[in-house]
Amino acid sequence: MPSLQIINYPHPTLRHPSKPLKKVDRTLRTWIEEMFELMYQAKGIGLAANQVDLPFQLFVINPEGDRDSGQEMVFINPVLKTPKGSSQAEEGCLSLPGVYGQVARSEQIHVTGFDLQGNPIDLVAKGLLARVIQHEFDHLQGTLFIDRMEASDRRLLSDRLYEFELELQTRQESGTIPDNQTIKKRIETLENQYC
Ligand code: NI
């Protein structure tokens, strides 16, 4: 089994709405361990499954971004409800390295779902934790933080985004990233196995 890699914008899996997981097996547990490892290596605090090309409603978080000090959380089939308040802050994303921008999020959010052991999650999150959960939840719907930026802010990033687009094209032409049809087939295979 090849190890996972973080995929960058505009890889099509980042735009694919993820499906709920119906089972957790040994392979999935290994993938989740790898997701934490990749997240720490990239100095992130959250990573969604479709950022490693897995089309599942699953994300991992450690708000400290440090294996030794923070709390590792795994969210499976998360649902967000009763958003409260609003706050503006700068965000980045491991699938858009070097890109940052102001994003408005709910200040507080109620999240339900399941952890890796199958225990129900029922959590009211505030501040940074609420922001990370909303950012990762967005990934599962195929939404990126740049979609939520003010149009005027996003325009300032257009050259950089174009570079990402050219890079994907180049990598698909050279074969280091599969073509769109192959990516789509792989997603279908994984969904048939796990969803
Ligand atoms: Ni992200």
Side-chain angles (χ1 to χ4, degrees), residues 4 8 15 29 52-53 56 67 71 74-75 78 81 91 112 116 118 132 135-136 139 144 153 164 172 180-181 185:
L4 303 177
N8 283 351
R15 292 303 193 185
R29 285 173 197 278
V52 291
D53 209 3
F56 310 137
R67 178 193 304 288
Q71 191 199 350
V74 178
F75 292 80
K81 36 192 133 173
E91 292 188 15
T112 57
L116 192 49
V132 183
H135 177 116
E136 302 311 330
H139 273 299
L144 299 169
D153 286 350
F164 278 111
Q172 285 189 306
N180 287 358
Q181 195 56 36
K185 277 194 187 139

Side-chain angles (χ1 to χ4, degrees), residues 34-95:
E34 283 185 50
M35 285 174 67
F36 275 112
E37 184 57 37
L38 288 168
M39 184 183 85
Y40 293 132
Q41 277 173 14
K43 310 227 177 293
I45 56 177
L47 188 65
N50 59 341
Q51 292 183 272
V52 291
D53 209 3
L54 297 174
F56 310 137
Q57 288 185 12
L58 158 75
F59 58 77
V60 303
I61 283 178
N62 180 340
E64 301 284 325
D66 181 350
R67 178 193 304 288
D68 299 321
S69 71
Q71 191 199 350
E72 293 187 343
M73 288 180 272
V74 178
F75 292 80
I76 292 172
N77 302 343
V79 176
L80 301 192
K81 36 192 133 173
T82 50
K84 285 185 186 162
S86 177
S87 80
Q88 188 94 9
E90 186 175 73
E91 292 188 15
C93 179
L94 297 183
S95 292

Side-chain angles (χ1 to χ4, degrees), residues 42 143 194:
T143 300
Y194 285 94

Side-chain angles (χ1 to χ4, degrees), residues 34 91 113 142 145 156 159 170 177 187 192-193:
E34 283 185 50
E91 292 188 15
F145 82 97
L156 299 174
D159 287 351
T170 306
I177 290 180
I187 287 175
N192 287 337
Q193 280 179 291

